[in-house]
């Protein structure tokens, strides 16, 4: 443990704990007010991201932005972001595995062949006539 209460970082990661300026950390009431402000701003960003999930917009990106805001002040958010970063890195490494890439290419080509065959059968049977009436 360091003297300001932050834990030592492992594997080259920054130490856990508050990143508030030193003059704010010196005063307990000011630091608590700072934490409440950071929590409220982070909550607003996370809620905006959740609202964007079903609507057009970068929902997940905004949610992770809110988590990053929380991570400037709260250890639990820092740990969640570290875990998320580790899982994303692992998924990226798995996606680069030649066997996984080969399987994904085979599945994509198979899906395209099936879709093309279905479109061809539809065009052969009905031509370019749409199944709904347009105009009047």
């Amino acid at each position: 443990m360091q003297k300001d209460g932050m834990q030592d970082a492992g594997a080259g990661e920054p130490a856990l704990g508050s990143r508030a300026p030193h003059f704010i950390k010196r005063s307990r009431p000011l630091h608590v007010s700072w934490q409440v402000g950071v929590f409220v701003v982070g909550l607003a960003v996370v809620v905006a991201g959740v609202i964007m999930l079903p609507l057009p917009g970068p929902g997940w990106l905004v949610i992770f932005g809110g988590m990053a805001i929380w991570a400037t002040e709260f250890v639990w958010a820092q740990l969640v972001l570290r875990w998320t970063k580790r899982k994303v890195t692992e998924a990226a490494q798995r996606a680069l595995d030649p066997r996984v890439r080969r399987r994904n290419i085979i599945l994509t080509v198979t899906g395209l062949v099936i879709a093309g065959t279905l479109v061809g059968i539809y065009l052969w049977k009905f031509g370019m006539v749409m199944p709904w009436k347009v105009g009047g």
Side-chain angles (χ1 to χ4, degrees), residues 53-117:
L53 286 175
L55 301 174
W60 284 110
L61 185 64
V62 174
I63 290 171
F64 287 125
M67 289 296 296
I69 290 170
W70 280 337
T72 64
E73 200 56 37
F74 302 107
V75 172
W76 62 267
Q78 294 166 3
L79 294 173
V80 167
L81 284 179
R82 283 185 184 179
W83 178 84
T84 303
K85 181 179 177 183
R86 192 171 51 251
K87 291 299 179 184
V88 167
T89 303
E90 290 170 6
Q93 290 300 321
R94 280 194 311 270
L96 294 176
D97 180 18
R99 290 180 307 192
V100 173
R101 290 184 68 190
R102 194 174 317 116
R103 183 200 65 203
N104 289 345
I105 290 171
I106 291 170
L107 289 174
T108 301
V109 168
T110 304
L112 288 173
V113 167
I114 291 171
T117 303

